[in-house]
């Protein structure tokens, strides 16, 4: 299983996460995404992007994120993060060879 770590301190906003995820999952090697390093900053595009990596057996680790606080969606940035986490949670249910954890 490949560990892919996302540290909250590395991101000013959810948009930085999309750029980092694209880089870490080598999005430029995926033909449908080779020219879309932002994933349009949209959760539905993120869902499709992750599908291309469903056989990779990745362990996605989110460090420093207060998941319970984010779920309350007290601001727009938290709203977007919550969408991202919902996509990841759905993804691992559909493809249990991958995992997500919060530290």
């Amino acid at each position: 299983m490949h560990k892919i770590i996302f540290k909250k301190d590395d991101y000013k906003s959810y948009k930085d996460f999309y750029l980092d995820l694209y880089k870490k999952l080598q999005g430029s090697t995926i033909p449908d995404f080779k020219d879309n390093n932002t994933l349009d900053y949209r959760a539905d595009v993120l869902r499709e992007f992750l599908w291309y990596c469903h056989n990779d057996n990745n362990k996605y680790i989110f460090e420093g994120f207060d998941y319970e606080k984010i779920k309350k969606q007290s601001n727009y940035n938290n709203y977007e993060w919550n969408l991202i986490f919902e996509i990841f949670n759905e993804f691992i249910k559909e493809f249990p060879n991958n995992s997500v954890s919060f530290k």
Side-chain angles (χ1 to χ4, degrees):
M1 190 168 271
H2 305 101
K3 289 183 181 181
I4 301 174
I5 300 171
F6 305 104
K7 296 180 181 179
K8 179 153 180 20
D9 292 341
D10 292 344
Y11 310 120
K12 291 180 182 174
S13 80
Y14 70 94
K15 290 183 177 184
D16 296 328
F17 165 78
Y18 278 98
L19 297 170
D20 189 38
L21 175 71
Y22 181 88
K23 181 179 175 183
K24 288 179 177 176
L25 294 181
Q26 300 174 346
S28 62
T29 65
I30 301 171
D32 289 347
F33 289 94
K34 69 178 183 172
D35 295 323
N36 188 359
N37 69 325
T38 66
L39 306 179
D40 299 330
Y41 304 120
R42 292 184 15 213
D44 58 331
V45 178
L46 170 62
R47 181 189 325 265
E48 183 180 347
F49 180 74
L50 287 175
W51 180 85
Y52 284 92
C53 305
H54 74 277
N55 286 324
D56 293 351
N57 301 318
N58 291 324
K59 181 174 185 169
Y60 301 98
I61 302 168
F62 292 90
E63 291 184 358
F65 290 88
D66 186 343
Y67 185 49
E68 293 304 314
K69 180 180 176 183
I70 289 170
K71 285 195 307 188
K72 294 177 183 177
Q73 302 179 34
S74 60
N75 59 49
Y76 186 75
N77 202 44
N78 282 351
Y79 167 78
E80 290 290 342
W81 278 112
N82 190 55
L83 289 175
I84 290 166
F85 296 148
E86 285 179 3
I87 295 300
F88 272 93
N89 287 329
E90 290 172 10
F91 177 73
I92 62 167
K93 285 178 187 172
E94 188 171 351
F95 303 105
N97 56 307
N98 297 281
S99 68
V100 170
S101 65
F102 293 87
K103 293 184 178 187

